[in-house]
Amino acid sequence: SLPIMVKSALCNLANMSPKQLIKHNEEEDELGGYFIVKGNQVMTRYLVQTRRNFPIVDFSKKVDKKSNRTGHNIFINCVREDETIAEMKIMWNGNTAPSLNLKINGKPFNIPLPYFLKALQNKSPFEMFSDVPKTADNVSLIENLCMIFSQFHSENTNSLTDISCLEHLGNYFRGVLQASKNTSNIEIGRRILKDYVAIHLSSDKEK
């Protein structure tokens, strides 16, 4: 049998006035909302979890003038089959290229998004743009992609290759991961892509 929540519609105390509650040896300001199980008060608590592997758009009116961030972000809680979790956030930075925010060892790191795009696939901005299906339903997406790819020049990544971007990422995160001297920057860069970037997807192309 299921217990009845105190002060719920099925509870005997539901419609009692403060005076009636006192008469029945209850608190006059009884709020209810809990259960009585074997003489003990029991409460249920709902745990709200962020949806897995699903992009959530956050539009904040707050603008950080120092970092030039617009407050427009895309958050993804990436979860692999083995329950490994890696949070990832794409942050729009005004007139510059968006940055990818990763949490590594509990600390946030922001890297311009073009470095990750080039590291994942050795393609030019035009080739990446051509891979995106263009329909009447995703006009806004196309406009944003145009802005992102146009910023490759400002980040000096237009002429970089996937290897050079992996080198850059590896050099940047070497100290963070405490990698050994025998580990190359390229290996560290690939580890970043594997363990911290869209980890719910298996291949670089999917990411």
Side-chain angles (χ1 to χ4, degrees):
S1 61
L2 294 174
I4 295 174
M5 182 182 289
V6 176
K7 293 299 291 283
S8 66
L10 298 177
C11 178
N12 294 329
L13 307 177
N15 300 314
M16 287 189 180
S17 65
K19 290 184 179 180
Q20 290 174 319
L21 288 171
I22 293 174
K23 186 177 180 180
H24 286 80
N25 299 316
E26 300 290 344
E27 298 288 339
E28 62 177 329
D29 56 353
E30 176 64 68
L31 297 176
Y34 58 89
F35 302 90
I36 297 178
V37 180
K38 296 181 180 180
N40 297 316
Q41 293 184 1
V42 178
M43 296 185 68
T44 59
R45 184 176 65 176
Y46 292 96
L47 298 177
V48 180
Q49 290 185 329
T50 305
R51 186 171 176 179
R52 295 182 171 195
N53 306 328
F54 188 83
I56 298 174
V57 180
D58 174 32
F59 289 100
S60 174
K61 294 182 179 180
K62 295 182 179 179
V63 178
D64 190 339
K65 294 182 180 179
K66 292 183 179 179
S67 61
N68 198 31
R69 291 177 188 148
T70 63
H72 296 174
N73 306 312
I74 298 178
F75 173 82
I76 307 177
N77 190 38
C78 305
V79 185
R80 277 199 299 236
E81 292 182 358
D82 61 0
E83 297 299 319
T84 300
I85 299 175
E87 296 179 0
M88 190 174 72
K89 185 189 294 184
I90 298 176
M91 309 173 71
W92 262 254
N93 303 319
N95 296 325
T96 61
S99 62
L100 187 64
N101 178 281
L102 303 175
K103 277 191 176 180
I104 301 178
N105 298 332
K107 296 181 180 180
F109 295 90
N110 293 314
I111 301 292
L113 185 60
Y115 283 100
F116 289 98
L117 294 177
K118 293 282 282 188
L120 288 167
Q121 281 196 302
N122 189 28
K123 290 186 176 183
S124 68
F126 178 77
E127 290 173 317
M128 293 182 192
F129 183 78
S130 299
D131 288 340
V132 180
K134 299 168 184 62
T135 65
D137 297 330
N138 63 356
V139 175
S140 178
L141 170 63
I142 298 303
E143 291 177 350
N144 279 280
L145 287 175
C146 287
M147 181 196 70
I148 292 173
F149 291 137
S150 66
Q151 298 302 326
F152 269 66
H153 297 282
S154 65
E155 297 296 338
N156 297 319
T157 57
N158 194 37
S159 59
L160 294 178
T161 65
D162 56 339
I163 298 300
S164 57
C165 284
L166 287 170
E167 281 271 8
H168 174 80
L169 294 174
N171 182 62
Y172 184 86
F173 287 106
R174 174 174 289 278
V176 178
L177 299 182
Q178 297 181 345
S180 66
K181 294 182 179 180
N182 296 328
T183 306
S184 68
N185 287 336
I186 294 176
E187 290 176 309
I188 298 171
R190 288 193 174 124
R191 179 183 169 188
I192 291 294
L193 296 181
K194 178 184 177 182
D195 294 340
Y196 298 98
V197 178
I199 64 172
H200 60 295
L201 302 174
S202 55
S203 68
D204 289 348
K205 187 175 181 179
E206 287 178 316
K207 294 182 179 186

